[in-house]
Amino acid sequence: MSDRYEAQEIEAKWQQKWNDAGIDAAHDDDERESYYCLVMFPYPSGNLHMGHVRNYCLGDAVARYKRMNGFNVLHPIGWDAFGLPAENAAIKHNRPPAEWTYANIDQMRTQLKRLGLSYDWSREIATCRPEYYRWEQWMFTRLMEKGLAYQAEAEVNWCDPCHTVLANEQVVDGVCWRCDTAVKRKNLKQWFIRITDYAEELLADLDTLTGWPEKVVGMQRNWIGKSTGAEVSFGLEGSEETLDIFTTRPDTLMGVTYMAVAAGHSLAQKAARSNPELAVFLEECSKISTKEADVETMEKKGMATGFNAVHPISGELVPVWVANFVLMGYGTGAVMSVPAHDVRDYDFARKYGLPIKQVIRPADGEWDIETAAFTEAGVLMNSARFDGIASLEAKSAITGWLAEHGKGSVKIQYRLRDWLVSRQRYWGAPIPVVHCETCGAVPVPEDQLPVELPIDLQPTGGASPLTECEAFKHTSCPACGKPAVRELDTFDTFMESSWYMNRYTSPRNTDAMVDGSAMQRWAPVDQYIGGVEHAVLHLLYARFYHKLMRDAGLFTSEQGGDEPFRNLLTQGMVLKDGTKMSKSKGNTVDPKAIIERFGADTARLFTLFAAPPEKELEWNDAGVEGGHRFLKRVWRLLERIDVTEGEEDAAAVQVMRRTIHATIQRVTYAFEHGFAFNVAIAALMELTNALQDFKPAGSAGKAAYREGVEVVATMLAPFVPHFACELGELLGMEQMAVVSNWPQVDAAALVQDEITLVVQIQGKKRGEITIAKDAGQDVAMAAAQADASINKWLDGMQIAKVILVPGRLLNIVVKPA
RNA sequence: GCCGGGAUGGUGGAACUGGUAGACACAAGGGACUUAAAAUCCCUCGGUAGAAAUACUGUACGGGUUCGACUCCCGUUCCCGGUACCA
C-alpha cells in the first residue's frame, strides 16, 4: 500500500474519516476564536467548471490553514438557485425550472464532495427554497413600510414577436437573440429600492475596507460617482414650466448655446405630436438597447424640438434639442450644452451647426476654440459680471447668484441609480405585494409569508408563466379583503446573493432572517473569495443589504459590523488557449476527467500552483501531470525515512534545517499576506528537492530529514489534504495532517554568520563576495577589491560613490581617473 | 465610449518597500536504466558572439527620473473584466 501513491483509494478513505470525525463543522458554542471563510456560492448550472474549482480550492486552503492555527472555522456552501439559465434550460428540455435546478444541485454537490472541500454541509442553503426567500420578502415589506421601496416607470428591452422582456445578455447587436428582431424600449412600472439613500454611507465606508483590493474599492467609488455641482432651472419660452438640469460645470453656464433632452422627455414627446419628422426620430431612438455600452458608442444624433429655453441669467433664448445620448434614467433626462467646454457637446454642435461660445480661457495664454473644446478650468470671459473670475470661484459665484434669484442651488449628484429589483420572469422569488383597486399596492403581511412560487410551471419563451397562473394571480387584499391580484414580477437574483453570507450564521432559523448572537459570533465574513467580475454589482448590493439588515434591527453594528466582508480576494478567470472557457468555443476542461485520472489532490494542486490567485489561470494539461509528478516525488521521500547513510555532517544538517525553517516562513507568509499559493507550493517543491538531495547521515541527519518530511506533509495539508493525511499516517504522525498544528519557525535555525553580497559596478552585477553578516562598508569594499574579477573593473578608475544595501548588494560608482 | 486590470524565455509563472531578471514547474533536446516500453534519474535550455572563460543585449512599444527600473512618472498599442435584466 505504501509503495505506490494510489489517489483514488486514499481520497475515498480520508473523506470517510473526516466525515466520521466531523472536523469540518463550525461550532456555534466554542471557546476558540471564530473565523468565517466564504467563497461565492455557485449558480447550479449542472456542472462544476474550472472557475468553481479554483474558487473553492482557494477557499478550502484558507479554511484548512485557519483550522490548523486553532480557529473555529465557518466554511459554508450553498446554491444561488434562481435565475435565467434555468428558464432557458426549461424551454429547451420542456421540463419545469425547479426540476432542472434541483437535479443540478444534487449533481454539483456530489462533485464538490469528490474534491474533498471542507464545508460544513449541515449549513447548506438553496435560495429557491421558500424557507430562504421568505425572509427577503419579509425584508422587502419592511422597506415598503419605511418608504425605501417604491414603484416607478423604467425602460426595458422588449421583443415584440417573443412578447417578452429581454435581459441585456439576450440583446445581441441590438436584436433579440432568439428571433433576430430589433429590440424596442418599453416603459414598465417597476419596483426600486432606494440605494441612493445610502450612497453617502456606501461611499464613506469604502475607507474602512482596508482588506479589499484597492482596485475594487476604486471601482465602487467610481460607480457611486459622487459629484458636486448645481441644479439649474431654465425657463421655457411661452410657458410657466421650467426645464431643470444638473451640471458639474456651473462656471460654464454663460456658454450654453442649446439644451438637449432625452427622447423620453415630456418636451420631446410634446413636440413630436405636431412634428412627424421628430416622431420618426423618437421612434428610432427607442430602438437602441438600454445597455450603457451601446448608448455610449452609437453615433450621436439629435433633432430640434422647436422649443426654446430661457437662459436663467442672460434671458437669451437657446434651442431645445432631442439627443439620443441623453438618458431618461439619469438625473432629470435633460442637460445644458456648452460646446466650447465639453467634447461631446462640441462634436454635436459642429455636426449640427450650432453656435459655440467660449466663456473660459486658460489662466495663461490663448485657446483656439475653432480647433477644439477647452475642457480645463481657467478664467471666465464673455460672462458679463462674472468675467475675470477663476473657474473654481465662478462655480460658487454663479450658483450663489442662481440661488438668490430662485433659479438654482448647489446639488450633490450620484451616478449611482436606485436598484431596480423587478424582473418580468418566472424563476425568481415573488415580490410580496398585492394590488388592490381600492388600497393600491399592499405589502403581504408577515403571517402570510412566504408568498410561494408555484414550482411546476413551464416557461415557453414568451411572457412569464406566472402571468397566466390563475391560482397564483388571484387573492384577496390583505388590507380590505376584497378580491385583488398578486404582483407577478419576481425579484432580481442579486437580492438572494446580497444576504446569504449572513444567513449562513443561522441557516435554519425559522424565527428571523438572521440571529443577532450568531451574527456576533461569525459576522462579518473574515475572508471572502470570488471572481473579480463581481467587483461592483454583487459586492455593492451586498454591502447595501447588510446596512439595510442592520437598520431593520436584525443585528447591531457591534454584532454584525457595518460591512459584510472584512477581507476580499478577487480571483482571476480560468482560461484555455488564451480565452475564457465556454461551451460554444468547445474549449472546456471537465474537472471530472482530471479527478478520475489523477485524483482530486492533483486537480487542487495544479489550480493553486499554475498562477497567482488574482490573475487569470491558463489551463495546461501537461502542467497537471507535472503536479501529479510532484506528489509522487514527495511520496518517495518515505523510502529513506529510517535510513542513515555515512558520517554525520553538522554543516549539512544546519543547511538542511535552515532550508526547512525558511520554507515554513515563506509558506506561512503566503497565507498571511495575499495568498500567493503558487509561490508557497514552489517553496514546498524546493524543500522537497533539497530533501531528495540530502544524505540523512547519523542521528542528527536522520532527525533533520524526518523533520523536513513531516513539515512538507503538514504544510501540504491545506492544498492536498487527502495526500497529506496519508503521508502523515505513514510517517506515524500522531494526528491527522489536516488537524495538526501549523509548523512554527525555529528562529535559531535561520541564523546565518556569513552572507553573500552582490557587487555591482555602475549598477551592473560584476561578482559576489561572502562577508560577515554585520560587516560594514569598509570590509565589503576590501573584499570586493580583493576579488580579481571585480577589481578588474576598478582598474584605472576613480571611485566616485559607494552604495551599500545591507544584506543585499554593494554598488560602486566609478569615473575615469 | 467610460471605469478597472494585465503584458516578463517555446509555455505557466518568480523577483520583498527601487537593489543578482527568469525561482519553481511545463515543453523541448541529449544521456542513463530496460530485450522494449512505461515509470524514474542525470545534463542542457532568453537572444547574439565565442571552444570556453566571458562580453554585449533583453521584462509589450516610445520617452523620462535614479548610482541602480520588470518595479516609479509621461505617452502609445494590444488583450481581459465591468458597464446597472448573465451570475
Side-chain angles (χ1 to χ4, degrees), chain A residues 135-349:
Chain A
W135 295 110
E136 99 197 24
Q137 292 179 332
W138 170 83
M139 176 60 97
F140 187 77
T141 61
R142 295 298 322 273
L143 297 177
M144 283 176 76
E145 284 158 18
K146 284 182 162 183
L148 285 167
Y150 65 96
Q151 277 186 292
E153 296 256 311
E155 285 178 332
V156 293
N157 296 310
W158 179 259
C159 176
D160 261 330
C162 298
H163 203 71
T164 188
V165 175
L166 297 177
N168 279 338
E169 182 193 49
Q170 300 172 315
V171 180
V172 182
D173 298 327
V175 302
C176 171
W177 66 338
R178 276 195 221 286
C179 69
D180 285 345
T181 310
V183 301
K184 273 187 78 174
R185 293 187 181 202
K186 185 176 172 178
N187 259 314
L188 289 180
K189 201 173 195 188
Q190 310 207 61
W191 288 98
F192 289 83
I193 301 181
R194 286 189 207 279
I195 191 172
T196 51
D197 275 18
Y198 282 71
E200 204 50 54
E201 191 188 346
L202 287 167
L203 187 64
D205 284 357
L206 284 174
D207 293 334
T208 69
L209 298 178
T210 51
W212 282 38
E214 272 177 46
K215 64 168 175 174
V216 176
V217 171
M219 282 160 92
Q220 294 222 348
R221 183 170 285 119
N222 289 335
W223 186 264
I224 294 167
K226 180 179 182 176
S227 56
T228 307
E231 189 163 55
V232 186
S233 280
F234 281 70
L236 279 169
E237 187 190 17
S239 165
E240 292 298 301
E241 286 177 49
T242 59
L243 182 57
D244 297 337
I245 58 95
F246 170 79
T247 178
T248 55
R249 292 294 304 273
D251 53 319
T252 65
L253 182 59
M254 298 308 287
V256 172
T257 57
Y258 63 99
M259 307 295 286
V261 300
H265 196 275
S266 58
L267 264 187
Q269 298 292 332
K270 199 165 141 193
R273 268 174 235 139
S274 54
N275 183 343
E277 223 181 308
L278 186 63
V280 170
F281 179 63
L282 295 192
E283 175 69 16
E284 196 188 309
C285 289
S286 76
K287 282 182 182 153
I288 307 155
S289 91
T290 59
K291 292 182 201 179
E292 191 194 349
D294 287 347
V295 173
E296 291 290 327
T297 54
M298 75 193 165
E299 192 191 346
K300 308 288 181 286
K301 285 186 188 172
M303 193 177 273
T305 60
F307 292 114
N308 287 311
V310 183
H311 194 283
I313 298 180
S314 69
E316 278 172 35
L317 296 182
V318 291
V320 178
W321 281 59
V322 184
N324 61 1
F325 56 84
V326 179
L327 289 180
M328 207 46 218
Y330 271 171
T332 58
V335 295
M336 70 179 205
S337 295
V338 187
H341 306 291
D342 178 276
V343 173
R344 191 161 66 179
D345 294 349
Y346 189 89
D347 294 343
F348 192 84

Side-chain angles (χ1 to χ4, degrees), chain A residues 475-530:
Chain A
T475 184
S476 55
C477 173
C480 71
K482 282 190 221 156
V485 291
R486 287 196 189 279
E487 170 67 57
L488 298 174
D489 284 357
T490 53
F491 280 134
D492 174 9
T493 56
F494 277 126
M495 284 286 264
E496 288 88 54
S497 56
S498 292
W499 64 283
Y500 79 110
M501 63 282 173
N502 289 341
R503 183 64 180 174
Y504 279 136
T505 64
S506 53
R508 304 289 172 251
N509 194 336
T510 52
D511 301 325
M513 194 169 193
V514 298
D515 176 81
S517 63
M519 287 293 285
Q520 171 117 50
R521 168 164 290 278
W522 299 111
V525 173
D526 289 289
Q527 183 64 55
Y528 195 32
I529 306 172

Side-chain angles (χ1 to χ4, degrees), chain A residues 711-723:
Chain A
V711 162
V712 170
T714 311
M715 292 204 297
L716 276 176
F719 309 125
V720 286
H722 318 84
F723 177 88

Side-chain angles (χ1 to χ4, degrees), chain A residues 48-51 53 574-577 581-582 586-594 619-621 624:
Chain A
L48 213 57
H49 57 68
M50 280 300 170
V53 173
V574 181
L575 307 179
K576 171 91 177 159
D577 308 322
M581 282 188 192
S582 72
N587 63 348
T588 52
V589 173
D590 187 358
K592 216 172 112 189
I594 308 289
W619 190 264
N620 175 355
D621 290 321
V624 179

Side-chain angles (χ1 to χ4, degrees), chain A residues 669-682:
Chain A
Y669 184 88
F671 275 102
E672 300 291 341
H673 302 93
F675 309 115
F677 297 140
N678 57 326
V679 185
I681 291 166

